[in-house]
Amino acid sequence: MTSPTKVAVVTGGARGIGRGCVHALAERGLDIVIVDLLRPEMERTRGEIEAMGRAVMIEEADVADHARAREIAAAVKARFGRCDVLVNNAGRGNPTGILEITEEAFDRTIAVNLKSCFNYIQAFAPLMLEGGGGRIVSMSSLNAHTGGVTSAVSKFSYAAAKAGIIGMTKALAKELGPTIAINAVCPGIIETELGNSLTRTRGAELAKKIALQRVGKPADVAQLVAFLATAEPFFITGQAITIDGFQWEI
Ligand SMILES: NC(=O)c1ccc[n+]([C@@H]2O[C@H](COP(=O)([O-])OP(=O)(O)OC[C@H]3O[C@@H](n4cnc5c(N)ncnc54)[C@H](O)[C@@H]3O)[C@@H](O)[C@H]2O)c1
C-alpha cells in the first residue's frame, strides 16, 4: 500500500526564499499550500508546482491576521485532511531606527514577522497532532544574533521580531514535542529574484566578507528547510540554525 501524500503549508511562498522552499518540498513529493498577499506571484508558483505533478492550494491572506490563519487551517483540513509541514516564511524588513519609528510601524513589524508564527502554529498544530506528527520551520534571520546594525533593509524592530522567533521555537519544541519538531532557520544575506537593496548595492563587497565568497540564494535556504521538514530519522528540535556561508563584519 502506498503511503498518503504529505502536505506542506508555506507562508510567503509566492516568491523569494518561500518559493524556493515550495519547489524543494514539491520535489520531495509533498503537496503544497501557499499563503501570501501576492496573487499573481502565487498563481505563477502554483503553475510551476502543478507542472511537477503536485497538488497546490493558494490562499490570499495577510499572515498577521489570526482569524484568517484559522480559516485557512479549516480549508486545508477540508481539502487535504492533513498538514505535515508548516514553513513560517513570510516576513518583511523594516529599515527605520528607534528614534524615527512609529508605534504602528513597530507593531506591524512584530505582527508580520513574529505574531504570524504564533497565528499559523496555533492554527495548524492541532491538525499535525491529529495526524500523529509534524515539522515546523520558522524563518528567523542572522540579524536575530547580530542586530543587523549595518543592514540597509532591517533594523532593531526586525531583529527583535526574528529573535522572538528563536525563543518561541525553543519553548514550543518542549511544548509540542515529541509529536512535533520545530526549528528556526537564520539566513544571512540571500539574493532573491527581486534582489534586495543590500545585494544590489553592495553584493560584491559583501561577498568578500563571507567565507564561501558569495551571497546566498533561495535554493540554499530551501535545501536546509526541506531537510528540517522531511529528513528521516530525525533528532533535531528547538534549534536556530544559521545559514550564511559564514558571514562576518556585516
Ligand atoms: N533575503 C534575505 O537576505 C533574508 C535574510 C534573512 C531572513 N530573511 C527572511 O526570509 C523570509 C523571506 O524573505 P525573502 O527575502 O524571500 O523576501 P521576499 O519579499 O522576496 O518574499 C517574502 C514573501 O512573503 C510575502 N509576505 C510578506 N508579508 C506578508 C504578509 N503580511 N502576509 C502574507 N505574505 C506576506 C511576500 O508577499 C513575499 O511573497 C522573510 O521572513 C525574511 O525576513 C530573508
Side-chain angles (χ1 to χ4, degrees):
M1 206 173 77
T2 54
S3 45
T5 303
K6 290 189 171 181
V7 175
V9 176
V10 182
T11 71
R15 71 172 195 210
I17 294 171
R19 173 169 163 258
C21 294
V22 163
H23 274 261
L25 291 165
E27 279 161 15
R28 285 159 180 78
L30 280 77
D31 287 338
I32 303 290
V33 179
I34 302 173
V35 180
D36 207 294
L37 289 168
L38 305 174
R39 183 160 283 278
E41 286 83 349
M42 276 197 289
E43 296 284 6
R44 178 197 61 173
T45 304
R46 168 158 63 183
E48 294 165 354
I49 301 306
E50 282 178 347
M52 296 164 68
R54 302 264 49 97
V56 183
M57 175 174 167
I58 60 175
E59 289 285 341
E60 192 175 331
D62 179 347
V63 288
D65 184 335
H66 186 257
R68 274 293 282 140
R70 285 183 177 266
E71 278 173 20
I72 292 169
V76 170
K77 185 173 180 175
R79 167 137 182 215
F80 295 107
R82 61 190 294 143
C83 175
D84 303 279
V85 172
L86 168 64
V87 181
N88 289 309
N89 163 78
R92 233 193 132 151
N94 188 320
T96 319
I98 183 72
L99 300 181
E100 292 82 33
I101 198 167
T102 62
E103 182 184 5
E104 291 71 26
F106 180 82
D107 286 348
R108 179 70 183 154
T109 305
I110 299 296
V112 171
N113 290 286
L114 177 60
K115 187 187 173 210
S116 57
C117 297
F118 155 66
N119 290 343
Y120 279 77
I121 294 168
Q122 195 183 50
F124 281 96
L127 194 50
M128 288 183 167
L129 292 168
E130 259 174 56
R135 306 271 179 88
I136 299 172
V137 184
S138 299
M139 205 57 70
S140 178
S141 170
L142 189 62
N143 286 10
H145 297 295
T146 64
V149 276
T150 62
S151 165
V153 290
S154 53
K155 287 201 169 68
F156 81 101
S157 59
Y158 176 80
K162 293 300 192 185
I165 289 176
I166 297 175
M168 187 186 286
T169 298
K170 289 186 182 296
L172 289 182
K174 296 176 183 175
E175 197 175 325
L176 297 174
T179 317
I180 297 174
I182 171 167
N183 291 287
V185 168
C186 301
I189 299 169
I190 308 300
E191 179 154 44
T192 57
E193 73 250 58
L194 296 183
N196 60 41
S197 54
L198 204 57
T199 53
R200 263 200 309 276
T201 55
R202 296 175 54 202
E205 174 205 341
L206 295 173
K208 290 186 189 140
K209 296 179 175 176
I210 296 172
L212 295 182
Q213 296 275 300
R214 65 173 176 87
V215 298
K217 294 190 180 308
D220 295 318
V221 182
Q223 185 73 9
L224 174 60
V225 169
F227 171 80
L228 293 171
T230 62
E232 292 286 355
F234 198 68
F235 196 49
I236 305 171
T237 195
Q239 301 306 303
I241 300 167
T242 295
I243 174 159
D244 67 347
F246 187 52
Q247 189 177 309
W248 69 94
E249 291 180 36
I250 295 172

